[in-house]
Amino acid sequence: MAYDAIETPFGKTDWIVGGAATYAAYAASNFIKPVNQVSIVGYDFAKEEMDELKKRGVNLEGVEVVKDKKSFFWSGRYHLDMNTRDTLVTDLNVLTDFNPVIPDSYQGSEFLMLGNVLPSLQISVVQQLKTRPKLIAMDTMNFWMDNALDDLKRLLTMVDVLLVNDSEARQLSGQFSLVKAAKEIQKMGPKYLVIKKGEHGALLFHKDQVFFAPALPLEEVFDPTGAGDTFAGGFIGHLAQTRDVSFENMKTAIIVGSAMASFCVEKFGPIRLKEITKADIDGRIRQFVDLVNFDIELI
Amino acid sequence: MAYDAIETPFGKTDWIVGGAATYAAYAASNFIKPVNQVSIVGYDFAKEEMDELKKRGVNLEGVEVVKDKKSFFWSGRYHLDMNTRDTLVTDLNVLTDFNPVIPDSYQGSEFLMLGNVLPSLQISVVQQLKTRPKLIAMDTMNFWMDNALDDLKRLLTMVDVLLVNDSEARQLSGQFSLVKAAKEIQKMGPKYLVIKKGEHGALLFHKDQVFFAPALPLEEVFDPTGAGDTFAGGFIGHLAQTRDVSFENMKTAIIVGSAMASFCVEKFGPIRLKEITKADIDGRIRQFVDLVNFDIELI
């Protein structure tokens, strides 16, 4: 949970709530309550935002508030193609002290999504849970592949689903072909692999099966910040709601995640995620059905 | 119809049959016979290749053979990502004399695919057909947008379907968003627009409708040469076979085109296209169904 300053070709904001856990919670809370949040914020994190999250069924007991430090802050500028961005500022602030403690009330959580932080912290969260969740999914990034690969590899043996983008999948596996990368990564632990390709959609791999979900072609991507985290929130939210971790249901979870991400990019930060209704989400999912649905008769 | 020399990260060939019309004919002949081919070749074009095409139902009456010149020759080298390539040699040879003449026996053709050549030649082909075909589709490239835009714009008013890649759609429309680009291009004439995104699949636009077909995730793309032309051949071949030019059937045609293209890239040039059977094609189309098919129940 953090604050961001974002510049895109369409506008600029100097101070907007952000952070992977914020986006994921806003997305997941449409499908499952409570969302047991684990994070750290500073004295500057707005009470209104906390209240908004609570109202949506996000349990904040596991969110540490540090009285004398600021929240994590990130500032970036997107290029015209919206696929690439320059980081202008990264102020770790409270994140340097992050040592997640799982509240007793969170014990028994069945679906765990590990956001992108230091792999040793992700491991600590898994180890604090007395009963192994039904499903553990995780995000990570290239930075940890460069700087904490041993911990990352250890963590990979503990999880069911890895969500990464295409360049991260290539780096982790040493394979350029995503099909080959998926095979290598499954050998490292996760039985399910989601490779996110931004505007080009997402792939789900499991054994020899593969599923592809497109991104919705949009007139305008206003701000891509948080789209991947929103995707992850929708994905785990759908799985937790249905309590079904089959490959078939994971396909649906990918579509739900893609639908949530397609809302996220329409306005700055998580603004759009706070506006949408159940009807909006259902309508968007129907658009995905129309987008890929075809009848074929083999003659 | 041409010869190519191709270098990819996986291998090298100094002399292999190529050319948009060759790929398109090999692909389309799986679905419709005859394929009435219009092209020009030199004295060096192999009799065996002509015989192979004829055997598959490709009518070569409209292929001019020039006795004292060589066939068009192209040589290129692909980069590691296979999405980009450097052209090493372009020898126009017979192409400088190309002035397509439609044989009488071709009159009444119902489905016309205009390969990527000088727009004035594409216009000439349309004008030579006494009965307007049921469907006219066309390919083009950025070079003609830079050098023959007036003719290209005139041609666009005469066709039903334009097939281009994403960067060409952006250049032609002046819009970065493909959704906006599709709107602009439909105003120029073609009621249907296919935007090919290589390994990221293809989009079909018509009015406010959009359909997305993924590319099959492959372990290895051996040689992408001709994939777009093979896609076009499969697309028009399916439409000609079914004689149904509805949006719904065009979706299927896009899947058929994608399936054919996924074979093309498995070996050098059109080699793989000559090997595959009806059963191979049906099996590949089933893979596309599995790739995107999901069940969703809106709860």
Side-chain angles (χ1 to χ4, degrees):
Chain A
M1 296 167 71
Y3 278 97
D4 295 335
I6 304 164
E7 205 178 319
T8 82
F10 304 106
K12 193 173 182 305
T13 173
D14 289 330
W15 184 251
I16 191 163
V17 67
T22 308
Y23 286 102
Y26 273 120
S29 64
N30 287 283
F31 306 98
I32 186 80
K33 293 175 205 303
V35 172
N36 292 328
Q37 189 87 324
V38 179
S39 189
I40 188 166
V41 297
Y43 62 84
D44 56 345
F45 202 87
K47 187 179 171 305
E48 295 72 32
E49 202 68 40
M50 294 287 210
D51 290 344
E52 184 67 36
L53 285 162
K54 272 186 213 159
K55 211 181 72 188
R56 289 161 187 267
V58 181
N59 186 348
L60 300 176
E61 199 186 335
V63 177
E64 185 184 345
V65 183
V66 180
K67 295 270 176 274
D68 59 348
K69 281 192 174 176
K70 284 189 172 185
S71 300
F72 177 81
F73 176 79
W74 175 83
S75 164
R77 184 188 294 132
Y78 288 89
H79 302 170
L80 189 60
D81 70 3
M82 289 289 207
N83 281 327
T84 48
R85 65 187 188 191
D86 296 324
T87 288
L88 305 176
V89 179
T90 305
D91 286 336
L92 290 176
N93 299 328
V94 294
L95 215 59
T96 51
D97 308 322
F98 192 31
N99 187 17
V101 176
I102 303 298
D104 286 343
S105 68
Y106 286 18
Q107 292 296 339
S109 291
E110 289 188 309
F111 292 85
L112 174 61
M113 172 62 73
L114 297 164
N116 168 32
V117 284
L118 195 69
S120 60
L121 298 185
Q122 295 172 306
I123 291 174
S124 152
V125 168
V126 175
Q127 288 176 333
Q128 288 177 62
L129 290 172
K130 290 166 194 159
T131 311
R132 206 264 184 198
K134 195 175 167 74
L135 188 91
I136 304 179
M138 65 169 282
D139 187 11
T140 189
M141 72 186 295
N142 51 356
F143 184 81
W144 309 122
M145 296 171 196
D146 293 331
N147 297 292
L149 188 59
D150 287 348
D151 281 344
L152 176 57
K153 284 193 167 171
R154 192 168 152 231
L155 174 62
L156 284 170
T157 66
M158 304 164 78
V159 307
D160 304 302
V161 186
L162 173 68
L163 297 100
V164 282
N165 68 33
D166 42 2
S167 71
E168 291 159 352
R170 288 181 169 128
Q171 179 171 349
L172 183 59
S173 65
Q175 294 286 347
F176 186 82
S177 151
L178 295 180
V179 177
K180 288 185 181 173
K183 286 188 182 167
E184 288 306 313
I185 290 170
Q186 288 183 68
K187 286 183 203 159
M188 298 177 184
K191 293 179 295 294
Y192 297 88
L193 173 67
V194 178
I195 299 182
K196 299 173 288 178
K197 303 198 295 171
E199 60 158 334
H200 300 303
L203 289 159
L204 168 66
F205 292 93
H206 174 56
K207 295 181 182 165
D208 286 333
Q209 295 175 285
V210 55
F211 173 69
F212 177 83
L216 204 67
L218 294 168
E219 287 226 3
E220 228 160 64
V221 170
F222 186 83
D223 171 20
T225 310
D229 306 314
T230 302
F231 175 94
F235 174 79
I236 198 88
H238 173 80
L239 293 177
Q241 179 186 36
T242 51
R243 305 189 69 245
D244 171 357
V245 296
S246 66
F247 181 71
E248 281 308 310
N249 194 45
M250 237 177 252
K251 291 182 184 178
T252 310
I254 299 267
I255 296 289
V256 170
S258 302
M260 297 309 297
S262 76
F263 284 117
C264 177
V265 304
E266 291 180 345
K267 295 193 176 176
F268 269 132
I271 291 176
R272 188 73 182 118
L273 294 181
K274 298 186 203 178
E275 296 172 348
I276 53 172
T277 63
K278 169 92 171 64
D280 292 327
I281 297 171
D282 286 354
R284 190 56 63 93
I285 289 172
R286 264 184 221 107
Q287 280 184 268
F288 276 85
V289 174
D290 290 342
L291 181 61
V292 297
N293 190 46
F294 65 94
D295 284 323
I296 201 149
E297 212 178 301
L298 299 173
I299 8 184
Chain B
M1 296 168 72
Y3 278 96
D4 295 335
I6 305 163
E7 204 179 321
T8 82
F10 303 106
K12 196 173 180 309
T13 174
D14 289 329
W15 184 252
I16 191 162
V17 68
T22 309
Y23 286 102
Y26 274 120
S29 64
N30 287 284
F31 306 99
I32 186 81
K33 293 177 205 310
V35 172
N36 291 328
Q37 189 88 323
V38 179
S39 189
I40 187 167
V41 298
Y43 62 83
D44 56 345
F45 202 88
K47 187 180 171 306
E48 295 72 32
E49 202 68 41
M50 294 287 209
D51 290 345
E52 183 68 35
L53 285 162
K54 272 186 215 161
K55 210 181 72 189
R56 289 161 187 269
V58 181
N59 186 348
L60 299 176
E61 199 186 334
V63 178
E64 185 185 346
V65 183
V66 180
K67 297 270 177 275
D68 59 348
K69 281 192 174 175
K70 285 189 171 184
S71 301
F72 178 82
F73 177 78
W74 174 83
S75 164
R77 184 189 292 133
Y78 288 88
H79 302 170
L80 189 60
D81 69 4
M82 289 288 206
N83 280 328
T84 48
R85 65 188 188 188
D86 295 324
T87 288
L88 305 176
V89 180
T90 305
D91 286 336
L92 290 176
N93 300 326
V94 293
L95 215 60
T96 51
D97 308 323
F98 192 30
N99 186 18
V101 177
I102 303 297
D104 286 343
S105 67
Y106 287 17
Q107 291 297 338
S109 290
E110 289 189 309
F111 293 84
L112 174 61
M113 171 62 74
L114 298 164
N116 167 34
V117 284
L118 196 68
S120 60
L121 298 185
Q122 295 173 306
I123 290 174
S124 152
V125 168
V126 174
Q127 288 176 332
Q128 289 177 62
L129 290 172
K130 291 167 192 161
T131 311
R132 205 264 184 198
K134 197 176 166 74
L135 187 92
I136 303 178
M138 65 169 283
D139 187 11
T140 188
M141 72 187 295
N142 51 356
F143 184 80
W144 309 122
M145 297 172 196
D146 293 332
N147 297 293
L149 189 59
D150 288 346
D151 282 344
L152 177 58
K153 284 192 168 170
R154 192 169 153 229
L155 175 62
L156 284 169
T157 66
M158 305 165 78
V159 307
D160 304 300
V161 186
L162 173 67
L163 298 101
V164 282
N165 69 32
D166 41 3
S167 71
E168 290 159 352
R170 287 179 170 130
Q171 179 171 348
L172 183 60
S173 64
Q175 294 286 347
F176 188 81
S177 150
L178 295 180
V179 177
K180 288 185 181 174
K183 286 188 181 167
E184 288 306 312
I185 291 171
Q186 286 183 70
K187 286 182 203 158
M188 298 177 184
K191 294 179 294 294
Y192 297 88
L193 173 67
V194 178
I195 300 181
K196 298 172 288 177
K197 303 197 299 170
E199 60 158 333
H200 300 303
L203 289 159
L204 168 67
F205 292 93
H206 173 57
K207 294 181 183 165
D208 285 334
Q209 295 175 286
V210 54
F211 173 68
F212 177 83
L216 203 68
L218 295 167
E219 288 225 2
E220 227 159 65
V221 171
F222 186 82
D223 171 19
T225 310
D229 306 313
T230 302
F231 175 94
F235 174 79
I236 199 86
H238 174 80
L239 293 177
Q241 179 185 37
T242 53
R243 304 187 69 243
D244 170 357
V245 296
S246 67
F247 182 72
E248 281 308 309
N249 194 46
M250 237 176 252
K251 291 181 185 179
T252 309
I254 299 268
I255 296 289
V256 171
S258 303
M260 297 310 296
S262 76
F263 285 117
C264 177
V265 303
E266 292 179 345
K267 295 193 176 174
F268 269 131
I271 292 176
R272 187 76 180 115
L273 294 180
K274 299 186 204 179
E275 297 172 347
I276 53 173
T277 63
K278 170 91 171 65
D280 291 328
I281 297 172
D282 287 354
R284 189 57 61 92
I285 289 172
R286 264 184 221 106
Q287 279 184 268
F288 275 86
V289 175
D290 291 342
L291 181 61
V292 297
N293 190 48
F294 65 94
D295 283 323
I296 201 150
E297 214 178 299
L298 298 172
I299 9 182

